[in-house]
Amino acid sequence: MIDILSKEQYLKLEKMLEEASAENSIAEKSPVMIRMSQELVDEKLEQIKDWMQQIEEGEVYLDAEEYEDYSSGYWDADWITEYYDNQGIGDKLMYAIRFAKDCVDDRRYEEAHFIYEWLWAMYVSTDSEFGEPIGLEELAEHKIINADMKQLALLSLYTDYQIQQPQNRAEDLFLYFGMPTFKKLHIEEMFYAGREQLEATEQFWKDWIALLKTKRGDVASRLLQEAVLYCEGIHGLIEAANETADTHPMLYLTAMKEYDKNHEYSQIESIGKKAMQKID
């Protein structure tokens, strides 16, 4: 099949089959067994909210030890901060992370989103006189929590998609990509993060592409390239490049690389000339 169809045609066929499968799944979806009772959910949420308050008010905090490291030489000393979790903050956060995942599996998206949104926004205090509070990503870097940060990020996007109104999804999801953990994610991975197929994906892709065309920066360019290639193929990518030459000139380079895979050098030359005209 791959030999018969061009890459663009194959991607289009794959996308059509995926969308048809998704619509069929939604139409014929059977109820998923709920594993947690409402009483259990309420009990766990109450406990997590109590820990949230303790963290926000600095009632629990990390112990910190700060020192200069001269291992690279006297003139190249580094200021090192070591954190010690003597109050079980990491365990509390991991409890919340595991519970949020259970909520996703039970289709309790509001509860999961509430926890994820708080996790990415919260900061944990330290006992250092001059030290700054540290956020979720730093907690992972310092091994205070042992979480799969990529999965956590994808589940955060997935639940946000589920609870947002269709017209707000693209704009709200893009806000997450300002955080380091999200910057290397591929948005299509979000669609497979949970047990339930996401709805209204065709409209989302249109909104997502339209939004990204208005954004600047390397992350927006990469996301736009991936989205256009996924939905519209290489010809759509060239059109998007012509439309956004001032903000996303890298789209031309991506299109040229795609044609280079099939040794279509005349197309590469044509795109290169067009790019020089547009960018100049």
Side-chain angles (χ1 to χ4, degrees):
M1 177 69 77
I2 297 176
D3 294 334
I4 298 173
L5 300 177
S6 68
K7 182 175 181 180
E8 183 179 356
Q9 291 171 328
Y10 182 78
L11 288 173
K12 188 68 173 178
L13 175 61
E14 188 178 54
K15 182 173 180 289
M16 291 172 63
L17 290 172
E18 180 183 324
E19 290 176 350
S21 176
E23 294 299 325
N24 185 60
S25 176
I26 292 168
E28 300 180 358
K29 182 171 54 182
S30 58
V32 172
M33 181 178 294
I34 301 299
R35 300 184 302 168
M36 297 185 293
S37 68
Q38 187 61 49
E39 182 180 4
L40 179 61
V41 170
D42 292 342
E43 179 184 325
K44 290 193 171 190
L45 265 180
E46 192 64 31
Q47 176 64 81
I48 290 169
K49 288 178 180 178
D50 183 49
W51 289 336
M52 287 177 174
Q53 184 175 357
Q54 291 177 23
I55 291 171
E56 289 171 355
E57 296 180 358
E59 294 178 19
V60 293
Y61 52 85
L62 299 174
D63 295 312
E65 179 184 355
E66 300 171 316
Y67 58 91
E68 286 186 293
D69 178 16
Y70 294 96
S71 61
S72 300
Y74 182 80
W75 301 109
D76 296 315
D78 295 316
W79 188 255
I80 304 296
T81 303
E82 301 283 356
Y83 297 102
Y84 303 95
D85 183 17
N86 296 318
Q87 300 182 43
I89 296 172
D91 291 339
K92 294 176 174 63
L93 293 175
M94 289 304 301
Y95 180 96
I97 289 170
R98 287 190 293 269
F99 174 64
K101 176 61 167 64
D102 289 340
C103 287
V104 174
D105 290 342
D106 267 11
R107 295 182 181 174
R108 299 179 185 271
Y109 302 123
E110 292 285 351
E111 291 88 342
H113 181 262
F114 168 75
I115 295 171
Y116 289 138
E117 190 173 46
W118 179 82
L119 284 168
W120 293 108
M122 67 89 195
Y123 284 89
V124 177
S125 300
T126 74
D127 69 347
S128 172
E129 183 177 358
F130 303 107
E132 295 290 330
I134 66 174
L136 188 69
E137 291 168 307
E138 290 177 284
L139 290 170
E141 290 174 12
H142 289 278
K143 310 300 183 184
I144 302 299
I145 61 172
N146 182 26
D148 184 334
M149 297 299 285
K150 179 179 179 180
Q151 183 198 42
L152 184 60
L154 289 172
L155 287 169
S156 300
L157 295 175
Y158 178 87
T159 55
D160 194 78
Y161 187 105
Q162 290 282 21
I163 70 157
Q164 294 294 336
Q165 292 296 314
Q167 66 271 20
N168 299 331
R169 284 171 175 156
E171 187 75 49
D172 208 70
L173 289 174
F174 184 74
L175 296 176
Y176 285 91
F177 285 87
M179 291 182 279
T181 301
F182 291 82
K183 287 184 176 180
K184 293 184 179 181
L185 292 183
H186 306 287
I187 194 68
E188 62 268 23
E189 293 179 299
M190 169 192 70
F191 292 89
Y192 312 105
R195 300 169 66 190
E196 187 175 26
Q197 291 278 0
L198 296 179
E199 299 183 16
T201 57
E202 184 177 351
Q203 184 59 49
F204 168 75
W205 281 117
K206 292 178 182 178
D207 295 342
W208 185 242
I209 290 171
L211 174 72
L212 292 172
K213 286 178 179 178
T214 69
K215 302 296 182 181
R216 293 180 177 271
D218 293 341
V219 174
S221 287
R222 177 183 65 79
L223 293 171
L224 179 59
Q225 290 170 27
E226 293 174 352
V228 174
L229 272 175
Y230 181 79
C231 296
E232 303 171 15
I234 191 168
H235 293 301
L237 186 64
I238 295 169
E239 290 180 8
N242 291 334
E243 184 181 345
T244 63
D246 292 338
T247 52
H248 300 294
M250 290 299 292
L251 268 63
Y252 284 117
L253 182 58
T254 302
M256 293 166 73
K257 288 179 178 178
E258 289 296 314
Y259 277 120
D260 186 53
K261 293 176 182 178
N262 294 321
H263 310 293
E264 299 182 56
Y265 301 119
S266 61
Q267 292 285 4
I268 295 172
E269 182 180 3
S270 175
I271 294 170
K273 290 179 179 178
K274 187 71 171 180
M276 292 177 68
Q277 293 172 359
K278 284 281 187 178
I279 295 172
D280 289 342

